[in-house]
Amino acid sequence: MKNRCTAPMWVAKAGYIVMSLVFCGAGALFIAKPELSSLVISRVLGAAMVVFGVIKLVGYFSKDLFRLAFQYDLGFGLLLIALGVLVLARPAGVLDFIFIALGIAILADGLFKVQIAMDSKRFGISTWWLTLLLAIVAGMVGLALVFRPWNSARLLTVLLGAALLAEGVLNLCVAVSTVKIVDHQRPEVIEVTSFVVDDL
């Protein structure tokens, strides 16, 4: 029997890592330069969400060995693509929507990653506690982004940057620790050997 093609798994894992670093970079940029215009913020986030959504879909259908990192990525990938397209289509005047939508998305992702951390513990992955801790932090920052405790645009941009940074670090940890690719993975089929029993 032929081994399963691992190319989609490598694409998904590499994409996860790259996009996690992009989110970290965008978060650091928003924290360092909170005076950025809403148009720039919208375009950066819209493009990043679309690309990451596509990578999540690739990950979901790649069927890596543990099936931990990508198990919830079908719906979440479609959600990110939809949000990204909406933001890119209307980049001006949607900053309030971005805060709420992205905050809900990060909160939901944090909750999903809590489940992934618990599953990782059962799989014997030693860094499960780090995933759990980062998931809780990301979820809390996402929740803060939804309720927006400040009215200052600069402070909200810093909070947005912190949320993106937390989400990026969380996804990077999950991709590195739970996505295992084995070159000799077999397709998921059960081999049945047929035989004939002669009548006595």
Side-chain angles (χ1 to χ4, degrees):
M1 181 181 296
K2 292 182 178 180
N3 293 335
R4 175 188 295 161
C5 177
T6 59
M9 302 175 208
W10 285 111
V11 170
K13 182 171 184 176
Y16 242 73
I17 292 173
V18 170
M19 289 308 301
S20 297
L21 294 174
V22 168
F23 271 75
C24 289
L29 175 64
F30 294 160
I31 292 172
K33 297 182 69 66
E35 68 276 6
L36 288 172
S37 71
S38 60
L39 188 63
V40 171
I41 293 173
S42 299
R43 285 176 174 168
V44 170
L45 288 182
M49 284 190 288
V50 170
V51 174
F52 202 19
V54 171
I55 290 171
K56 282 180 174 290
L57 293 182
V58 173
Y60 178 81
F61 290 107
S62 70
K63 299 190 182 301
D64 65 302
L65 183 62
F66 287 167
R67 310 292 174 81
L68 291 175
F70 308 132
Q71 59 181 314
Y72 304 111
D73 278 359
L74 178 58
F76 202 70
L78 293 173
L79 174 63
L80 281 181
I81 292 172
L83 289 176
V85 169
L86 182 60
V87 170
L88 288 174
R90 299 286 299 271
V94 296
L95 202 56
D96 286 342
F97 169 77
I98 290 175
F99 285 133
I100 296 174
L102 198 59
I104 292 173
I106 291 174
L107 173 61
D109 193 46
L111 294 175
F112 287 139
K113 293 298 193 298
V114 168
Q115 180 63 53
I116 289 174
M118 295 295 98
D119 292 341
S120 298
K121 183 181 180 181
R122 286 194 290 272
F123 270 81
I125 297 175
S126 60
T127 55
W128 67 270
W129 61 270
L130 181 59
T131 300
L132 178 63
L133 178 61
L134 292 173
I136 293 172
V137 171
M140 292 176 62
V141 179
L143 187 63
L145 198 59
V146 173
F147 288 102
R148 292 176 296 170
W150 306 291
N151 292 323
S152 168
R154 289 174 62 91
L155 289 177
L156 287 175
T157 302
V158 171
L159 181 59
L160 176 62
L164 290 174
L165 187 58
E167 178 72 0
V169 173
L170 171 60
N171 280 284
L172 183 62
C173 176
V174 170
V176 171
S177 64
T178 66
V179 181
K180 303 300 180 185
I181 303 172
V182 178
D183 290 334
H184 57 274
Q185 277 186 264
R186 299 288 190 179
E188 294 178 328
V189 296
I190 299 174
E191 292 189 17
V192 178
T193 302
S194 60
F195 58 93
V196 177
V197 178
D198 294 332
D199 294 331
L200 296 177

